Amino acid sequence: MKVRVTITLKAGVLDPQGKAIEGALRGLGFAGIDGARQGKIVDLALAETDPDKARATVADMCEKLLANTVIENYDIAVLG
Amino acid sequence: MRSAVVLFPGSNRDHDMVKALHDVTGNRPTVVWHQDATLPDVDLIVLPGGFSYGDYLRCGAIAARSPAMLDVARKAKAGVRVLGVCNGFQILTEAGLLPGALMRNAHLRFVCKEVKLRVINNATDFTRAYAKGQVIRCPVAHHDGNYFADPETLARLEDDGRVAFRYAEGTNPNGSINDIAGILNEAGNVLGMMPHPENLIEALHGGLDGRGLFESVIQAVAA
């Protein structure tokens, strides 16, 4: 079973990398950018076949390692 | 005074730390590999600077889950003093032994220079050899030293005297909130700081301002 974890910075946490990306996009002439935030994706291949169990296991992985919940949110998507 | 330095794959300031501990305390610290599940009984455990696991995932994230860190957490809870410098500070926050997080420097550049630190709380095992409000010189070298904590956590740190060091006015090198350079845990036996006191302990290297931190621990152990 493939599971995708998307990790993003919480609202209100300064994201200097996102700011730099935003500035570079403006520099390229893209108009109307209201913000850019950078995150990361972790794709997991699991032996588990039950989506609910897979989701619960990955949530545990996020809490223990994949995300730093002081500054980051995570979203889990079961890709099948 | 007995001490131990935990070595992670990617640590690179361990030699400086070993030398500083040896020179100031007179005893050579035990170097412990991160896979060792049990640390020796010592008065001070140090997590040195560097780039453990190449900063993969987040700085200090993977090192914080290594077998040695489980024992560091147990010993910290039992009252053993733990000092984390630079990457060691990042590891302590990732391990949950200190609150908050260290984020990318606000200006996105690696910063390697000398800064000035103000001793905010000198009534700790790590700062008692300094005067309250004293300004000391100290080198920094990091890319992710921008301390962040939510407003409630920050208020607790400030109200409880758990900010040990602040970057002196106008010298904050990384955007750290409230100019925070080093913080303590609630019990006061765990200190994390981004600057490197171990790099200013010899006159030949330009100053002795870092010795006070190690001398403080010696005094605390003797007290």
Side-chain angles (χ1 to χ4, degrees), chain B residues 21-83:
Chain B
L21 287 165
H22 193 177
D23 283 7
V24 183
T25 71
N27 296 323
R28 197 173 168 75
T30 308
V31 176
V32 180
W33 182 235
H34 72 121
Q35 293 289 6
D36 294 347
T38 309
L39 276 78
D41 284 324
V42 291
D43 303 303
L44 173 70
I45 297 168
V46 182
L47 311 182
F51 298 87
S52 57
Y53 288 92
D55 282 349
Y56 292 173
L57 191 62
R58 297 177 305 275
C59 298
I62 298 182
R65 278 80 182 172
S66 59
M69 283 307 295
L70 291 175
D71 198 41
V72 170
R74 270 191 297 271
K75 289 188 159 68
K77 204 171 172 192
V80 176
R81 295 170 198 83
V82 180
L83 167 67

Side-chain angles (χ1 to χ4, degrees), chain A residues 7 9 12-17 19-20 40 42 63-68 70-72, chain B residues 57-58 61-62 65 93-94 99-108 146 148-150:
Chain A
I7 299 149
L9 281 173
V13 173
L14 177 71
D15 178 12
Q17 293 174 102
K19 286 268 180 227
K40 57 188 98 158
V42 181
E63 292 290 334
K64 286 185 175 148
L65 176 67
L66 298 180
N68 180 340
V70 174
I71 49 170
E72 294 171 327
Chain B
L57 191 62
R58 297 177 305 275
I62 298 182
R65 278 80 182 172
T93 59
E94 279 286 346
L102 290 145
M103 307 197 34
R104 186 57 50 95
N105 292 347
H107 50 58
L108 291 173
N146 182 355
F148 173 86
D150 61 64

Side-chain angles (χ1 to χ4, degrees), chain A residues 39-59:
Chain A
K40 57 188 98 158
I41 286 175
V42 181
D43 281 337
L44 296 163
L46 304 179
E48 181 60 62
T49 54
D50 180 325
D52 291 338
K53 282 186 186 159
R55 192 176 281 278
T57 303
V58 173

Side-chain angles (χ1 to χ4, degrees), chain B residues 79-154:
Chain B
V80 176
R81 295 170 198 83
V82 180
L83 167 67
V85 170
C86 200
N87 189 220
F89 185 12
Q90 295 162 342
I91 294 169
L92 287 173
T93 59
E94 279 286 346
L97 292 174
L98 289 173
L102 290 145
M103 307 197 34
R104 186 57 50 95
N105 292 347
H107 50 58
L108 291 173
R109 291 188 300 278
F110 190 94
V111 57
C112 181
K113 63 177 187 182
E114 186 178 295
V115 296
K116 294 205 160 44
L117 298 182
R118 187 176 294 280
V119 180
I120 303 301
N121 183 352
N122 76 330
T124 84
D125 285 3
F126 302 94
T127 56
R128 60 172 67 196
Y130 296 115
K132 187 176 171 68
Q134 185 179 346
V135 174
I136 61 169
R137 297 164 50 211
C138 203
V140 293
H142 59 252
H143 204 171
D144 296 75
N146 182 355
Y147 184 75
F148 173 86
D150 61 64
E152 296 80 37
T153 305
L154 199 59

